[in-house]
Amino acid sequence: AHAGTGAKSTMIKCFVQPLCDSITHAEGGIPGIYTALMETAETLRLGGGVGIDFSPIRPRGARIAGVDTLGLGPVGFLQLFNLSCELLGSTARRPGAQMGVLRCDHPDALAFAQVKTQGGLASFNLSVAGTYAFMQAVTDDTEFELVHAAEPGPMQKAAGATRRADGLWAYQRLPARRLWAAIVGGAHERGEPGVLFVDRIQADNNLGYCERIAATNPCGEQPLPPYGACCLGSINLVQLVERP
């Protein structure tokens, strides 16, 4: 879109921005939340769109070790990224667009699926990352376990959250069709959330052996790995022919 204009902007339009469950510190090369916010802001400022998987962020009410406080949850940080995008609106090369993704087995998945029906998050498209296990539970009308690596807070433990043998914490069990109904209801009322079938995406990815895809570009056309880019440009071949 900006080719030949002389503007300092990106000609590769869409990216996936990784983040980890830390405010500032990187984990395994993945930036913390506020570093990811800064990188997202720069991408948006230069005219790109950003997709983000917020699933690494600990659930609302989860314990934060060392500071004796409880987590805000991914929906709270969605609001932070949304506000940043809106504030950049007057300086960005084009209106900002973001895709927010949360796994269906995240303990805050139900709140995430319902957030658009409550208004807000105008700069975001939202999609629930669906798995084979979740869709099977919907089909069978059974309960589905919501899990996370982060330790639950005292109230969540008192409500029955327990640690599994694989090290993840099982926060609660939810009727799969309850979450599915929230997804379908939101899609019917507001057009969102969508569903990204991430197990199928990973199975069909030719580079699945060396990368993990958890999000897409803002309008959902292209699943991308962390820092992956979606080039929506085209080449004018006529300009490249020396002797027509």
Side-chain angles (χ1 to χ4, degrees):
H2 301 130
T5 66
K8 183 183 178 182
S9 56
T10 176
M11 284 177 277
I12 298 176
K13 283 300 171 193
C14 298
F15 303 81
V16 163
Q17 170 68 50
L19 55 73
C20 68
D21 185 33
S22 172
I23 292 297
T24 56
H25 297 292
E27 296 178 1
I30 303 299
I33 296 168
Y34 274 78
T35 304
L37 176 65
M38 178 186 68
E39 293 178 353
T40 296
E42 183 68 0
T43 300
L44 293 171
R45 186 181 70 84
L46 294 176
V50 182
I52 308 168
D53 176 25
F54 286 85
S55 303
I57 297 178
R58 69 191 61 209
R60 182 174 180 83
R63 179 174 179 266
I64 301 178
V67 292
D68 196 27
T69 58
L70 302 179
L72 180 64
V75 173
F77 284 105
L78 271 164
Q79 295 168 349
L80 174 65
F81 278 70
N82 182 76
L83 177 59
S84 174
C85 184
E86 290 180 348
L87 291 174
L88 283 169
S90 61
T91 59
R93 293 294 303 172
R94 66 169 185 168
Q98 301 180 93
M99 167 69 83
V101 179
L102 198 73
R103 284 183 60 89
C104 59
D105 54 7
H106 191 285
D108 291 357
L110 185 60
F112 176 84
Q114 297 171 328
V115 69
K116 279 281 187 159
T117 62
Q118 300 164 3
L121 299 182
S123 76
F124 270 101
N125 297 319
L126 298 181
S127 286
V128 175
T131 63
Y132 290 140
F134 172 63
M135 293 311 302
Q136 191 62 56
V138 172
T139 300
D140 297 340
D141 194 13
T142 57
E143 290 187 332
F144 183 69
E145 199 164 57
L146 305 180
V147 301
H148 203 273
E151 182 179 352
M155 292 183 63
Q156 293 160 331
K157 287 182 178 178
T162 58
R163 196 163 198 173
R164 306 194 314 187
D166 62 2
L168 295 177
W169 288 88
Y171 277 66
Q172 68 175 108
R173 298 186 68 84
L174 184 75
R177 290 191 181 180
R178 182 181 173 193
L179 176 56
W180 185 244
I183 293 170
V184 173
H188 182 265
E189 182 177 338
R190 292 293 184 96
E192 299 183 68
V195 180
L196 302 175
F197 295 105
V198 287
D199 285 349
R200 171 56 61 189
I201 289 171
Q202 196 65 20
D204 288 347
N205 180 16
N206 292 332
L207 296 176
Y209 66 92
C210 66
E211 69 182 18
R212 176 180 171 271
I213 291 178
T216 71
N217 67 319
C219 294
E221 302 100 336
Q222 189 166 345
L224 296 166
Y227 292 123
C230 170
C231 180
L232 302 180
S234 57
I235 297 174
N236 184 353
L237 294 177
V238 173
Q239 298 297 318
L240 304 181
V241 178
E242 294 182 353
R243 293 179 296 278

